[in-house]
Amino acid sequence: MTQAPATSHSSRRRHDREIVALAVPAFGALVAEPLFVMVDSAIVGHLGTPQLAGLGVAAALLTTAVSVFVFLAYATTAAVARRMGAGDLASAIRQGMDGIWLALLLGIAVIVLALPSAPWLVDAFGASDTAAPYAATYLRISSLGIPAMLIVMAATGVLRGLQDTRTPLYVAVGGFAANGALNAGLVYGAGLGIAGSAWGTVMAQCGMAAAYLVVVIRGARRHGASLYPDATGIRASAQAGAPLLVRTLSLRAVLLIATAVAARLGDADIAAHQIVLSLWSLMAFALDAIAIAGQAIIGRYLGASDAQGAREACRRMVQWGIASGVVLGALVVLARPLFTPLFTSDGAVQDTLIPALLVVALSQPIAGVVFVLDGVLMGAGDGRYLAWAMLITLAVFAPVALLVPTFGGGLTALWWAMTLMMAVRMMTLWLRTRSGKWIVTGATR
């Protein structure tokens, strides 16, 4: 980062309060999201193995499709926070509405593509003959909820930009509870089977979207912001999100390559890889909560033309990221004997799993810095650089990972390649923040 005078104790405490106030509710909301799939799996699992297998395939396709559009939350957070920092709440909410309209349009486009192609997608994903009909049914029905899911993303970005992460937590918890009740009632009470699970999830998602829209519309009316679609604003939201889409696709490519390589290593390796990846993803939620706080705080400081405040906040969040990474890594090492038997009793999988987990534990401080700086640059609206940085990271990671089966080392070597990937990300992000080129003040970048 650029050099700056030492941060005072009072300033550090102020930044700490801001980070905690935003990050803790954000973490709760992030954790609530994957619980949707867990509830669906628990309820559908009692219908039979083919139904559960079908749900697994459909859920993987839906998660992939929706995660591609996560830029709706990220880009909207940064744009709204800037305008809020500049003191123009009407413009901030108007920017948020543009993101919500874009989410609706993209959601409709996904439905148009998903409904006719559901059977083909299920077959391409390798579903068995017995599971495929259930997967296609679940995918077709659940795709109707994608516009609501994307609206939730964009509206979450609006509220984060307005420095409100509590409302998304309340909505996520309410949606989780409604999803469980609806799934149980429709699957067993109404006897709809896997279709009932899909309809229950769609209804819960629509309810969440409606709750968000009520909050945003009230804010728009209070501050005199227009609710009608604006072609110029929607186009600007899409342009701001395009680089983040490239970043997200590159990151998804990294994860897909890692899984493909693990599958080539053998059954024990791919089984252990799925366990390690699940734990890695869970720890990412904690680090991503700090990154979300970074998006909101940095955007607000830059919008208020407070470059020094942005630098100080960035520096403090990096310290939080490192400390959080150290704590998470230590927890993995200390709790390893306790949770490993919960995932598998297979001795071969456990022998493969343990050294890979140690690599993940050692890499957590690096991950802490990566997540924080990623959030800082998103908050600054520096999406173009993030896209190029992730493409460079992918170019470094792919050949190293693909050579793992040739040169040996098994799953441990693959996770060292994943650590290399995170180290390259850290270096590219650190160089950018140190240069100071991300600091562009004002209501717009």
Side-chain angles (χ1 to χ4, degrees), residues 2 35 61 74 97 110 122 157 159 201 219 230 241 299 359 391 428 444:
T2 51
L35 292 178
L61 287 166
Y74 294 158
M97 286 303 305
V110 173
V122 167
L159 296 182
T201 301
D230 176 70
V359 175
L391 286 171
T428 57
T444 56

Side-chain angles (χ1 to χ4, degrees), residues 58 62 111 114-120 122 133-145 198-199 202:
L62 286 165
I111 289 178
L115 285 179
S117 62
W120 178 84
V122 167
Y134 296 111
T137 296
Y138 191 93
L139 182 59
R140 275 192 170 129
I141 297 171
S142 292
S143 66
L144 299 175
W199 281 117
V202 168

Side-chain angles (χ1 to χ4, degrees), residues 280 283-284 286-288 290-291 317-326 328 362-375 422 426 429:
W280 187 78
M283 290 185 288
L287 298 176
D288 201 27
I290 304 174
M317 280 184 283
V318 168
Q319 293 168 356
W320 270 79
I322 294 172
S324 299
V326 170
L328 290 171
L362 290 172
S363 69
Q364 285 308 294
I366 296 174
V369 176
V370 168
F371 274 83
V372 166
L373 294 183
D374 206 39
M422 294 300 286
M426 183 178 71
L429 299 174

Side-chain angles (χ1 to χ4, degrees), residues 3 23 28 39 57 65 73-74 107 130-131 166 223 229 232 257 276 278 292 318 327-328 358 367 413 427 430 435 440:
Q3 297 297 315
V39 169
V57 171
Y74 294 158
T130 55
R166 289 182 180 273
H223 297 286
T232 301
I257 289 171
V276 176
S278 297
I292 287 169
V318 168
V327 170
L328 290 171
L358 293 175
M427 183 57 64
W430 179 78
S435 73
V440 179

Side-chain angles (χ1 to χ4, degrees), residues 133 174 305 442:
S305 298

Side-chain angles (χ1 to χ4, degrees), residues 144-309:
L144 299 175
I146 287 179
M149 295 168 72
L150 299 189
I151 288 172
V152 166
M153 278 189 179
T156 299
V158 176
L159 296 182
R160 288 173 181 171
L162 295 173
Q163 318 296 295
D164 176 10
T165 56
R166 289 182 180 273
T167 300
L169 172 61
Y170 300 148
V171 174
V173 170
F176 168 69
N179 181 60
L182 287 167
N183 267 256
L186 293 174
V187 171
Y188 297 113
L192 296 180
I194 195 170
S197 176
W199 281 117
T201 301
V202 168
M203 292 166 68
Q205 290 160 347
C206 290
M208 291 172 66
Y212 273 116
L213 289 175
V214 167
V215 174
V216 174
I217 290 171
R218 283 178 179 171
R221 287 175 174 169
R222 185 163 57 249
H223 297 286
S226 173
L227 297 172
Y228 294 101
D230 176 70
T232 301
I234 294 171
R235 187 163 51 248
S237 294
Q239 290 170 347
L244 295 180
L245 174 61
V246 173
R247 167 203 167 273
T248 300
L249 290 173
S250 300
L251 183 56
R252 296 296 301 182
V254 165
L255 299 177
L256 288 172
I257 289 171
T259 300
V261 170
R264 292 175 59 190
L265 296 175
D267 289 347
D269 293 89
I270 185 61
H273 175 73
Q274 289 305 313
I275 296 171
V276 176
L277 188 62
S278 297
L279 290 169
W280 187 78
S281 300
L282 179 62
M283 290 185 288
F285 283 128
L287 298 176
D288 201 27
I290 304 174
I292 287 169
Q295 294 171 32
I297 293 170
I298 294 298
R300 192 188 76 230
Y301 274 119
L302 293 178
S305 298
D306 186 355
Q308 181 59 30

Side-chain angles (χ1 to χ4, degrees), residues 309-348:
R311 291 189 186 95
E312 291 178 357
C314 175
R315 186 176 296 105
R316 190 57 177 164
M317 280 184 283
V318 168
Q319 293 168 356
W320 270 79
I322 294 172
S324 299
V326 170
V327 170
L328 290 171
L331 286 174
V332 170
V333 173
L334 294 174
R336 186 180 73 255
L338 299 176
F339 65 70
T340 301
L342 296 176
F343 286 100
T344 179
S345 58
D346 188 321

